[in-house]
Structure formats: C-alpha cells, structure tokens
Amino acid sequence: MARLFSIKPGMTLKGREFRGLRGWAGKPTHPPLTDFPIVCYVLAAVFDVISCYKGRSGGAAAREFFVAATYVIIAGAIVSVATALTGFWDWWKGMGKHTQVWRTANWHMAIMLTVTAIVVINIILRLRRFDAASADGLTTILSVVVALLVSYGATYGGSMVFDYQFNVESLEGKTVWDETEVDQDPGEHLPLKK
C-alpha cells in the first residue's frame, strides 16, 4: 500500500546547519514569527472599525471591540520585537549587499519599521483613553493604515521567499519530487536517477 504521509523530514533538525538567531538551514526563525503580528494588526483594524461603527449607537459591544483591539495590537507588537530582531539578523548576516534581494529587503524593512512606529503611536493613544466607550476616529484610521501597510510589507517578505528563494534550501540532489516510498531527511542526498 502506498504511503500517504511524510511527517518526520519536515520536522527534523537532523542534517540542518544551525545559524544562530536566524534558525536552521531550511527552517529560518523569521518567517513563522511574521504571521502573528500580521494577523493581530489586521484583526485590530477590523475590531476598531466595528467599535467605531457600534460606538455611534452606544452599547457594550463597542467598548468590548475596542478593548479586544487594544489587547490584540499589544500582543502583535510584543511578538513583532522578536520578528524584527530575526529579520534584521537575516538581513545583516544572510545576504550580499547591493543586490536586488538586498534592495527588496531594505524596502520590506522600511515598510515594517513604519508599521512599528505607527503601532507604537496607536498603542499610546489607546492607553491614554483606555476607559473610552469605543475606538475613536484617529485610532481607527491608524489601525486601518497599519493593517494595509503590514499587508503590503508582507508581500515583499513573501517575494523574498517565493520569488528570490531567500533562506530556501536547494533541492539539487534530492528525490522529494520523484515517485518513491522513501523519505529523505534535510541533510541526506540519495543517488540521482539516471
């Protein structure tokens, strides 16, 4: 019977070179950390829009959405510290300077640093009026701008991986796309078919 699942090779660190803060070859630290702040910032914007809209008619829901957005954006900001640190380390140690990849990474970093600055301002404004009944217009606008910018910036991060194959390990000498019942670990090279 044909095997349906391959689990171990994707999870093992065996055969992968350790690169410090950058993670392991083929398992970099930065990309999985990016998901959480992106989702948090988009959710905060959605919650603020709902809060601002519901705030016109009053009621507890507007306040609850504002509080939820505040907690979510703060959680995203906390995780984004590690995300930024690992991304900076990738930029500093993982690529040649003055290349297209480097220039794309510079733009990605500029967008994400702008996002971070706006998030810090947004959090300060939120905490100053945390007892408010709903999100105000300025907080909501900032949240929507953050959601749009982080989504835009994330497309450049995706280009780094999917278009430029940054931090992606070569498949040369691997049989993972061949029809076979044998799994390969990351550092393992099976003989090529002739």
Coordinates of all heavy atoms in Angstrom, one line a residue, residues 20-71:
G20 N 22.3 30.1 14.4 CA 22.1 31.1 15.5 C 20.7 31.6 15.5 O 19.7 30.9 15.2
L21 N 20.6 32.9 15.7 CA 19.3 33.6 15.8 C 18.5 33.5 14.5 O 17.2 33.5 14.5 CB 19.5 35.1 16.1 CG 18.3 36.0 16.4 CD1 17.6 35.5 17.6 CD2 18.8 37.4 16.6
R22 N 19.2 33.2 13.4 CA 18.5 33.1 12.1 C 17.7 31.8 12.0 O 16.9 31.6 11.1 CB 19.5 33.2 11.0 CG 20.1 34.5 10.9 CD 21.1 34.6 9.8 NE 20.5 34.3 8.5 CZ 21.0 33.7 7.5 NH1 22.3 33.3 7.6 NH2 20.4 33.5 6.4
G23 N 18.0 30.8 12.9 CA 17.3 29.5 12.8 C 18.2 28.4 12.2 O 19.5 28.5 12.4
W24 N 17.6 27.5 11.6 CA 18.4 26.4 10.9 C 18.2 26.5 9.4 O 17.2 27.0 8.9 CB 17.8 25.0 11.4 CG 18.2 24.6 12.8 CD1 19.2 23.8 13.2 CD2 17.5 25.0 14.0 NE1 19.3 23.7 14.5 CE2 18.2 24.4 15.1 CE3 16.4 25.8 14.3 CZ2 17.9 24.6 16.4 CZ3 16.1 26.0 15.6 CH2 16.8 25.4 16.6
A25 N 19.1 25.9 8.7 CA 19.0 25.8 7.2 C 17.7 25.2 6.9 O 17.4 24.1 7.3 CB 20.2 25.1 6.7
G26 N 16.9 25.8 6.1 CA 15.6 25.3 5.7 C 14.5 25.5 6.7 O 13.3 25.3 6.4
K27 N 14.8 26.0 7.9 CA 13.9 26.3 9.0 C 14.2 27.6 9.6 O 14.6 27.7 10.8 CB 13.9 25.2 10.1 CG 13.3 23.9 9.6 CD 11.9 23.9 9.5 CE 11.3 22.5 9.0 NZ 10.0 22.6 8.6
P28 N 14.1 28.7 8.9 CA 14.5 30.0 9.4 C 13.5 30.5 10.5 O 12.4 30.0 10.5 CB 14.5 30.9 8.2 CG 13.6 30.3 7.2 CD 13.7 28.8 7.5
T29 N 14.0 31.3 11.4 CA 13.2 31.8 12.5 C 12.2 32.9 12.1 O 11.1 32.9 12.6 CB 14.1 32.3 13.6 OG1 15.1 31.3 13.9 CG2 13.3 32.6 14.9
H30 N 12.6 33.8 11.3 CA 11.8 35.0 11.0 C 10.5 34.7 10.3 O 9.4 35.2 10.8 CB 12.6 35.9 10.1 CG 11.9 37.2 9.7 ND1 11.7 38.2 10.6 CD2 11.4 37.6 8.5 CE1 11.0 39.2 10.0 NE2 10.8 38.8 8.7
P31 N 10.4 33.9 9.2 CA 9.1 33.8 8.6 C 7.9 33.3 9.4 O 6.8 33.9 9.4 CB 9.3 32.8 7.4 CG 10.8 33.0 7.1 CD 11.4 33.2 8.5
P32 N 8.1 32.3 10.3 CA 6.9 31.9 11.1 C 6.5 32.9 12.1 O 5.3 33.0 12.5 CB 7.3 30.6 11.7 CG 8.7 30.4 11.6 CD 9.2 31.3 10.4
L33 N 7.5 33.7 12.6 CA 7.1 34.8 13.5 C 6.3 35.9 12.9 O 5.6 36.6 13.6 CB 8.4 35.4 14.1 CG 9.2 34.5 15.1 CD1 10.5 35.2 15.5 CD2 8.4 34.2 16.4
T34 N 6.4 36.1 11.6 CA 5.7 37.2 11.0 C 4.2 37.0 11.0 O 3.4 38.0 11.0 CB 6.1 37.4 9.5 OG1 5.8 36.2 8.8 CG2 7.6 37.6 9.4
D35 N 3.7 35.8 11.0 CA 2.3 35.5 10.9 C 1.5 36.2 12.0 O 0.4 36.8 11.8 CB 2.0 34.0 10.8 CG 2.5 33.4 9.6 OD1 3.0 34.1 8.7 OD2 2.6 32.1 9.6
F36 N 2.0 36.1 13.2 CA 1.2 36.5 14.4 C 1.0 38.1 14.4 O -0.1 38.5 14.5 CB 1.9 36.1 15.7 CG 1.1 36.3 16.9 CD1 0.1 35.4 17.3 CD2 1.3 37.4 17.7 CE1 -0.7 35.7 18.4 CE2 0.6 37.6 18.9 CZ -0.4 36.8 19.2
P37 N 2.1 38.9 14.2 CA 1.8 40.3 14.2 C 0.9 40.8 13.0 O 0.1 41.6 13.2 CB 3.2 41.0 14.0 CG 4.1 39.9 14.5 CD 3.5 38.6 14.2
I38 N 1.1 40.1 11.9 CA 0.2 40.5 10.7 C -1.2 40.2 11.1 O -2.1 41.1 10.9 CB 0.6 39.7 9.5 CG1 2.0 40.1 9.0 CG2 -0.4 39.9 8.3 CD1 2.6 39.2 7.9
V39 N -1.5 39.1 11.6 CA -2.9 38.8 11.9 C -3.4 39.7 13.0 O -4.6 40.2 13.0 CB -3.1 37.3 12.4 CG1 -4.4 37.0 13.0 CG2 -2.8 36.4 11.2
C40 N -2.6 39.9 14.0 CA -3.0 40.8 15.1 C -3.3 42.2 14.6 O -4.4 42.8 15.0 CB -1.9 40.9 16.2 SG -1.8 39.5 17.2
Y41 N -2.5 42.8 13.7 CA -2.7 44.1 13.2 C -4.0 44.2 12.4 O -4.7 45.2 12.4 CB -1.5 44.6 12.5 CG -0.3 44.8 13.4 CD1 1.0 44.8 12.8 CD2 -0.4 44.8 14.8 CE1 2.1 44.9 13.6 CE2 0.8 44.9 15.6 CZ 2.0 45.0 15.0 OH 3.1 45.1 15.7
V42 N -4.2 43.2 11.6 CA -5.4 43.2 10.7 C -6.7 43.0 11.6 O -7.7 43.7 11.4 CB -5.3 42.1 9.6 CG1 -6.7 41.9 8.9 CG2 -4.2 42.4 8.6
L43 N -6.6 42.1 12.6 CA -7.8 42.0 13.5 C -8.0 43.2 14.3 O -9.2 43.6 14.5 CB -7.5 40.8 14.5 CG -7.8 39.4 13.9 CD1 -7.4 38.4 14.9 CD2 -9.2 39.2 13.4
A44 N -7.0 43.9 14.8 CA -7.2 45.1 15.5 C -7.9 46.2 14.6 O -8.8 46.9 15.1 CB -5.8 45.7 16.0
A45 N -7.5 46.3 13.4 CA -8.2 47.2 12.5 C -9.7 46.8 12.3 O -10.6 47.7 12.4 CB -7.5 47.2 11.1
V46 N -10.0 45.5 12.1 CA -11.4 45.1 12.0 C -12.1 45.4 13.3 O -13.3 45.9 13.2 CB -11.4 43.6 11.7 CG1 -12.8 43.0 11.8 CG2 -10.8 43.3 10.3
F47 N -11.6 45.1 14.4 CA -12.2 45.4 15.7 C -12.5 46.9 15.9 O -13.5 47.3 16.4 CB -11.4 44.8 16.9 CG -11.4 43.3 16.9 CD1 -10.4 42.7 17.8 CD2 -12.2 42.5 16.1 CE1 -10.4 41.3 17.8 CE2 -12.1 41.1 16.2 CZ -11.2 40.5 17.0
D48 N -11.5 47.7 15.5 CA -11.7 49.1 15.7 C -12.8 49.7 14.8 O -13.5 50.5 15.2 CB -10.4 49.9 15.4 CG -9.4 49.8 16.6 OD1 -9.9 49.6 17.7 OD2 -8.2 50.1 16.4
V49 N -12.8 49.2 13.5 CA -13.9 49.6 12.6 C -15.2 49.3 13.2 O -16.2 50.1 13.2 CB -13.7 49.0 11.2 CG1 -14.9 49.2 10.3 CG2 -12.4 49.6 10.5
I50 N -15.4 48.0 13.7 CA -16.6 47.6 14.3 C -16.9 48.5 15.5 O -18.1 49.0 15.7 CB -16.6 46.1 14.7 CG1 -16.5 45.3 13.4 CG2 -17.8 45.7 15.5 CD1 -16.2 43.8 13.7
S51 N -15.9 48.7 16.4 CA -16.1 49.5 17.6 C -16.5 50.9 17.3 O -17.4 51.5 17.9 CB -14.8 49.5 18.4 OG -14.9 50.4 19.5
C52 N -15.9 51.5 16.3 CA -16.2 52.9 15.9 C -17.6 53.0 15.3 O -18.4 53.9 15.7 CB -15.2 53.4 14.8 SG -15.1 55.1 14.6
Y53 N -18.0 52.0 14.5 CA -19.3 52.0 13.9 C -20.4 51.8 15.0 O -21.4 52.5 15.1 CB -19.4 50.9 12.9 CG -20.8 50.7 12.3 CD1 -21.3 51.6 11.4 CD2 -21.6 49.6 12.7 CE1 -22.6 51.4 10.9 CE2 -22.9 49.4 12.2 CZ -23.4 50.3 11.3 OH -24.6 50.2 10.8
K54 N -20.1 50.8 15.9 CA -21.1 50.5 17.0 C -21.1 51.6 18.0 O -22.1 51.8 18.7 CB -20.7 49.2 17.7 CG -20.9 47.9 16.8 CD -22.0 47.1 17.4 CE -22.2 45.9 16.6 NZ -23.6 45.5 16.4
G55 N -20.0 52.3 18.2 CA -19.9 53.4 19.1 C -20.9 54.5 18.9 O -21.3 55.3 19.8
R56 N -21.4 54.7 17.7 CA -22.4 55.7 17.3 C -23.7 55.4 18.0 O -24.4 56.4 18.3 CB -22.5 55.8 15.8 CG -21.3 56.3 15.1 CD -21.4 56.4 13.7 NE -20.2 56.8 13.1 CZ -19.8 56.6 11.8 NH1 -20.7 56.0 11.0 NH2 -18.7 57.1 11.4
S57 N -24.0 54.1 18.1 CA -25.3 53.8 18.7 C -25.2 53.5 20.2 O -26.2 53.2 20.9 CB -25.9 52.6 18.0 OG -25.1 51.5 18.1
G58 N -24.0 53.5 20.7 CA -23.8 53.1 22.1 C -23.8 51.7 22.3 O -23.9 50.9 21.4
G59 N -23.7 51.2 23.6 CA -23.8 49.8 23.9 C -22.4 49.3 24.3 O -21.4 49.8 24.0
A60 N -22.5 48.1 24.9 CA -21.3 47.5 25.4 C -20.4 46.9 24.3 O -19.2 46.8 24.5 CB -21.7 46.4 26.4
A61 N -21.0 46.5 23.2 CA -20.2 45.8 22.2 C -19.1 46.8 21.6 O -18.0 46.3 21.4 CB -21.1 45.4 21.0
A62 N -19.4 48.0 21.5 CA -18.3 49.0 21.0 C -17.1 49.0 21.9 O -16.0 48.9 21.5 CB -18.9 50.4 20.9
R63 N -17.4 49.0 23.2 CA -16.3 49.0 24.2 C -15.5 47.7 24.2 O -14.3 47.7 24.2 CB -16.9 49.2 25.6 CG -15.9 48.9 26.7 CD -15.3 50.2 27.3 NE -14.4 49.8 28.4 CZ -13.1 50.0 28.3 NH1 -12.6 50.6 27.3 NH2 -12.3 49.7 29.3
E64 N -16.2 46.6 24.1 CA -15.6 45.3 24.0 C -14.7 45.1 22.8 O -13.6 44.6 22.9 CB -16.6 44.2 24.1 CG -17.3 44.1 25.5 CD -18.5 43.2 25.5 OE1 -18.9 42.6 24.5 OE2 -19.2 43.2 26.5
F65 N -15.1 45.6 21.7 CA -14.3 45.5 20.5 C -13.1 46.4 20.6 O -12.0 46.1 20.1 CB -15.1 45.9 19.2 CG -15.9 44.7 18.6 CD1 -17.3 44.7 18.7 CD2 -15.2 43.7 18.0 CE1 -18.0 43.6 18.2 CE2 -15.9 42.6 17.5 CZ -17.3 42.5 17.6
F66 N -13.2 47.6 21.2 CA -12.1 48.5 21.4 C -11.1 47.9 22.3 O -9.9 47.9 22.1 CB -12.6 49.8 22.0 CG -11.5 50.8 22.4 CD1 -10.6 51.3 21.5 CD2 -11.3 51.1 23.7 CE1 -9.5 52.1 21.8 CE2 -10.2 51.9 24.1 CZ -9.4 52.5 23.1
V67 N -11.5 47.3 23.4 CA -10.6 46.6 24.4 C -9.9 45.4 23.7 O -8.7 45.2 23.8 CB -11.4 46.2 25.7 CG1 -10.5 45.3 26.5 CG2 -11.9 47.4 26.4
A68 N -10.7 44.6 23.0 CA -10.1 43.5 22.3 C -9.1 43.9 21.3 O -8.0 43.3 21.2 CB -11.2 42.7 21.5
A69 N -9.3 45.0 20.5 CA -8.4 45.5 19.6 C -7.1 46.0 20.3 O -6.0 45.8 19.8 CB -9.0 46.7 18.8
T70 N -7.3 46.6 21.4 CA -6.1 47.1 22.2 C -5.2 45.9 22.6 O -4.0 45.9 22.5 CB -6.6 47.9 23.4 OG1 -7.4 49.0 23.0 CG2 -5.4 48.4 24.2
Y71 N -5.8 44.9 23.2 CA -5.1 43.7 23.6 C -4.4 43.0 22.4 O -3.3 42.6 22.5 CB -6.0 42.7 24.4 CG -6.4 43.2 25.7 CD1 -7.6 42.8 26.2 CD2 -5.5 43.9 26.5 CE1 -8.1 43.3 27.5 CE2 -6.0 44.3 27.8 CZ -7.2 44.0 28.3 OH -7.6 44.4 29.5

